[in-house]
Amino acid sequence: MTTSFGAANTAIARDPNVHVATSFNGLKNTSNSIFLSKRLHVLPSFSASAECPTSIIRAVSTPVKPDTSAEPKRSKVEIIKEHSNFIRYPLNEELLTDAPNINEAATQLIKFHGSYQQYNRDERGTKSYSFMLRTKNPGGKVSNKLYTVMDDLADEFGIGTLRLTTRQTFQLHGVLKKDLKTVMSTIIKNMGSTLGACGDLNRNVLAPAAPYARTDYLFAQKTAEDIAALLTPQSGFYYDMWVDGEKIMSAEPPEVVKARNDNSHGTNFPDSPEPIYGTQFLPRKFKVAVTVPTDNSVDIFTNDVGVVVVSDADGEPQGFNIYVGGGMGRTHRLETTFPRLAEPLGYVPKEDILYVVKAIVVTQRENGRRDDRKYSRMKYLLSSWGIEKFRTVVEQYYGRKFEPCRELPEWEFKSYLGWHEQGDGGLFCGLHVDNGRVKGTMKKTLREIIEKYNLNVRITPNQNIILCDIRKAWKRQITTALAQGGLLKPSYVEPLNLTAMACPAFPLCPLAITEAERGIPDILKRVRAVFEKVGLKYSESVVIRITGCPNGCARPYMAELGLVGDGPNSYQIWLGGTPNQTSLAKPFKDKVKLHDLEKVLEPLFYYWKHKRLSKESFGDFTIRMGTEKLQVLVDKWEGVPQGASRYNLNLFADKETYEAIDSLARLQDKSSHQLAMEVIRKFVASQQNGKIE
């Protein structure tokens, strides 16, 4: 801390509610290799008035002076970033070698460009290296042209599939190193981007995927796009690497440029190629979501920053509620790591949103831990400081006080599956995609429809896809084509599948401990079988999410039933999330082997059916019962009491009927019993309605 402000500064430093960051090493001048250090100078006023010029923190770059004190500990990745010439070296050299892979430093840097190096863990012997590319699509928006380009790239350079992610982006797997520049440049030249889809910076900004022509939805989408633009790296490393320095991008809104360049409250590195990020960027990944009241399709409380549009009685947006400190990742057997929900920070008028987001990012940049990456997410800063201290520091960078958050209605999970009116005369159609994996006949059908009708699409945070801007005259033809391609109406999709999610895990994720995406189809069938065994109705469901490791990419800690890989064919079970994703699940049982799942699930679902309150969800039931009582019920379980599954039927009287049903069921990835029960239910319903279809 400098002493240029004398006693006033000393008084502030002693205030327990105010945190002043110590020096931040790393602003590197690339032209003369002089290392610069950023120091914070805090002026004594804490006035909320925006007009008061003394209510600021200044970021001043000065040459580093010889320092006899010990340097703060930094992780290896921090050193790699500092010496990388703004995320270029040694990646630029590694890409030119004949080796199929890149070295450790380059592996860290290529994440900032939107790619991860991977290898096939199913294979033994020599590693088969490839690269996963992830796009940036604020709010899940994908143009017609970009979709067809990604579809082509998957076939020509990938493994023939596209994956829709929980952050509304594409993942393209299996790209070889020698093809990286071709693939990257093709995406860029077709107005796509992978910049910042991975790495220690702002990731893709979420927003509701529904293309409603409503003022609040349009405003949420625009806000997500503006935040994404504000926090996009500016030093040009991405374009230097993949399109030889040619910047191919649309013009930015003037308010974004103004907010990024504003340094009236000491947020920026002066004269740096990266005015917000500097050479070190952020301590870890940073996630932002924007939504409107009631719409929790974005899992708002799992983000570092949650932004909620607040409108007046006429539906006109006035400002935003801001929530901070959410995050899912943790480490097994390390209680100091944990998932966390975002909490209210305050309300801001709509014209201030970019300045507020920037202030939050800078607070994390200056104070987030850089010595141990397990604790580098902003949720740990919130947990350490508390919300009051965090708010105070953010207000210094923002330049004014937050107002209290506005009251909001209850949250709902919205999937937007099926046909809907957009509000502008057009229609949109939400399609369920199991685990977000677009492949085979589905992939071919989607491509044909999107190309034929020149449709734009959107990716949802639940790994589904929405076809947008459909004329009403096209609905019948598109419905027929979708059905022929195996893309079912929501009413025909297994209810458990509608809300289930899984991360990719094996074979390509290097962090995976066990299966997730490849294992979830069988697990969901087993859960359905347990439902039937204990007498639960087919229409009933629970939110199930599965990950192959504790990092939480499919957000299992918000699920009613979360399975988190903790060993080979073994899962930690979490219970207590809610269908609207507003409660954090709690750990229930460790090291449950895959083949033993029914021993845990049978008693849980049986007692949910028989002891729940009216309309009580499974997650709410488990919270009300409590972990200890549920554990006793599981430990004492001796099987479903006789007669409990009286609603089940023996459906098949002859082999021929069974084989015919089984063949049809396999096409829909269902069991023969499930399909037969669906047929019977629909027949009974049609009879009750006085008609036969």
Side-chain angles (χ1 to χ4, degrees), residues 254-296:
E255 59 268 28
V256 172
V257 177
K258 181 181 178 183
R260 183 189 297 121
N261 293 336
D262 178 76
N263 196 31
S264 58
H265 300 291
T267 53
N268 289 17
F269 292 99
D271 304 317
S272 171
E274 291 291 354
I276 296 178
Y277 289 129
T279 57
Q280 302 301 102
F281 287 76
L282 297 179
R284 278 297 295 272
K285 59 187 174 184
F286 196 87
K287 297 181 177 181
V288 180
V290 184
T291 193
V292 301
T294 76
D295 189 336
N296 199 21

Side-chain angles (χ1 to χ4, degrees), residues 647-685:
Y647 299 111
N648 286 347
L649 299 173
N650 292 320
L651 296 173
F652 303 111
D654 62 272
K655 183 178 180 183
E656 183 179 348
T657 303
Y658 170 78
E659 289 178 346
I661 288 286
D662 188 56
S663 179
L664 289 172
R666 288 177 186 275
L667 293 176
Q668 298 183 22
D669 196 26
K670 298 176 181 176
S671 71
S672 56
H673 190 275
Q674 288 170 353
L675 182 59
M677 289 300 294
E678 287 180 23
V679 172
I680 291 171
R681 287 189 190 95
K682 293 185 191 307
F683 177 78
V684 171

